[in-house]
Amino acid sequence: MNDVDVRRIVASHPDPEGRLLSVLEAIQQRWRYLPEEVLRDVAQELQIPLSRVYGVATFYAAFSLEPRGKHLISVCHGTACHVKGAGQFTERLEKALGIREGETTEDGLFTLEAVRCLGCCSLSPVIRIDGTTYGRVRPEQIPEIVAQWRGGKGDD
Amino acid sequence: MGFVTINGRSVPIKGAKTVLEIARREGIWIPTLCNHPGLPPYGACRLCLVEVKAGAKPGLAASCTLPATDGLVVETDTPRVQRTRKILIKLLLERAPEAEVVKDLAKKLGVVPPAEQVAAPETTRCILCGLCVRACESIGSSAIGFAFRGSRRKVMPPFGKPALECLGCQACVQVCPTGEVVFTISGNRLQGEPWRSEVELKECASCGRLFAPRPLVEHLKERFGFDFAGEELCPECRRQAMAAKLAETILPGAQG
């Protein structure tokens, strides 16, 4: 199973020059993180040392080597969002989800992470859940937003 | 033919690729820790910095990666170079307080080790010069590499597991400037730290002496695509076997 998917992903990136990053992005999309055994397959398929794959995988904060929940909640801690109280959003979310920043809920539904900047400072404070961006969020909206996603938002 | 001006003296480039190469040839002292003539330059330690006056982007540049081009004018020991180099060695002292080579260099540059560490580093000798990584890549098996980044950056085998792909060639030991990499023999195993590599040593088919890491012998066979003479023998027994063969060829019937 794994190696079939890896082969398919590698096949869709035929240019050997600089494809590792794109392959890893596709892997992360497929598995939501970079599983060790999959990275071993990647090294084999791309015919590059595993140490290089591991080096790139650990270099970028966007990659996770730990399993992630079904939904990724990113709290922006960029300058604008920080000034507008990003810290309390993380705190609220931690309370609502019962986990700490960087952790995943026990039911595997949510992973909470802090990101440096989502690039939409005019909307600050911003949180993003998977592909959905919430701008000018107010802390009291947090429970409702979480409830929506818990209730099946984003499932299709 | 091109010329480079170093410390006011015009010298021919004569095939040198970098400013550091020319300086070495001309006997001008420039300290380095991440440079090795057998490996590609990397520009990690920055200690070899020089001041470019003309012919390239003016300012400080690492001479190990600064191409030697015609008309380049550099100074190797200006106050700015000295000042910056001292900062660099101070940072290295913080990272690797137990590395003798760093301490010696600090002393030479007139830098006193700090009385207190700002933060206790995870390893006490590694300066992240990348020589082991480059040596493992070009001679060994890329069993180790850089992982993570920023203050967490370190040299390690993938996933922090024992270095399974290590051949036991010990090229990393040869190039490590600080003595962070150590291999020891225990029974018929060769063990390497800090990467927890462990390889079996091969026994000489004749005298029984352990003479080479088994994966290394296999690797050489594979890489060069032939069985090199007496791969089962230690160098001494190999010489004896060859001498016996030679004697038989030129002195048929002679008894040893």
Side-chain angles (χ1 to χ4, degrees), chain B residues 32-248:
Chain B
T32 60
L33 286 176
C34 74
N35 192 261
H36 190 286
L39 294 167
Y42 192 57
C45 76
R46 317 304 293 177
L47 287 171
C48 69
L49 59 96
V50 295
E51 198 169 341
V52 176
K53 294 291 188 186
K57 190 175 162 240
L60 297 173
S63 63
C64 68
T65 52
L66 181 62
T69 50
D70 189 32
L72 188 68
V73 181
V74 298
E75 291 283 334
T76 67
D77 205 26
T78 62
R80 196 174 163 199
V81 167
Q82 291 171 8
R83 206 168 53 233
T84 314
R85 196 170 277 156
K86 278 186 182 178
I87 296 170
L88 290 167
I89 201 77
K90 273 183 194 164
L91 290 170
L92 287 172
L93 270 177
E94 283 291 339
R95 173 170 285 284
E98 286 182 21
E100 290 302 325
V101 67
V102 175
K103 284 198 273 188
D104 289 350
L105 201 49
K107 206 169 169 186
K108 195 164 178 178
L109 294 172
V111 172
V112 186
E116 222 174 296
Q117 290 290 121
V118 174
E122 203 183 313
T123 69
T124 47
R125 287 202 184 86
C126 180
I127 54 167
L128 299 174
C129 69
L131 277 171
C132 54
V133 174
R134 280 173 282 157
C136 196
E137 190 179 1
S138 60
I139 297 165
S141 57
S142 289
I144 49 166
F146 279 113
F148 302 99
R149 70 165 160 187
S151 58
R152 295 175 63 213
R153 186 168 162 88
K154 65 187 283 193
V155 175
M156 64 191 282
F159 305 100
K161 295 188 170 170
L164 294 176
E165 274 146 68
C166 176
L167 304 170
C169 75
Q170 299 175 68
C172 48
V173 181
Q174 288 290 317
V175 296
C176 179
T178 68
E180 169 73 358
V181 195
V182 179
F183 275 72
T184 47
I185 291 173
S186 164
N188 69 339
R189 322 289 292 177
L190 178 66
Q191 291 164 334
E193 291 297 341
W195 304 308
R196 293 185 289 152
S197 50
E198 183 168 335
V199 299
E200 193 192 330
L201 290 166
K202 206 174 157 80
E203 230 174 55
C204 173
S206 173
C207 69
R209 191 165 69 98
L210 299 167
F211 73 99
R214 185 178 290 280
L216 181 61
V217 175
E218 303 296 325
H219 173 77
L220 291 175
K221 249 161 72 176
E222 201 175 301
R223 182 157 171 184
F224 295 109
F226 61 87
D227 289 356
F228 53 95
E231 67 185 65
E232 300 298 326
L233 301 176
C234 73
E236 259 171 53
C237 291
R238 199 179 308 157
R239 267 197 301 278
Q240 278 177 14
M242 281 168 76
K245 205 169 175 186
L246 189 65
E248 210 170 277

Side-chain angles (χ1 to χ4, degrees), chain A residues 36 39-40 49-52 54-55 58-59 61 65, chain B residues 137 142 144-149 156 158-161:
Chain A
E36 179 177 335
L39 291 187
R40 290 182 189 277
L50 182 61
S51 56
R52 193 173 312 155
Y54 185 72
T58 55
F59 185 87
L65 289 151
Chain B
E137 190 179 1
S142 289
I144 49 166
F146 279 113
F148 302 99
R149 70 165 160 187
M156 64 191 282
F159 305 100
K161 295 188 170 170

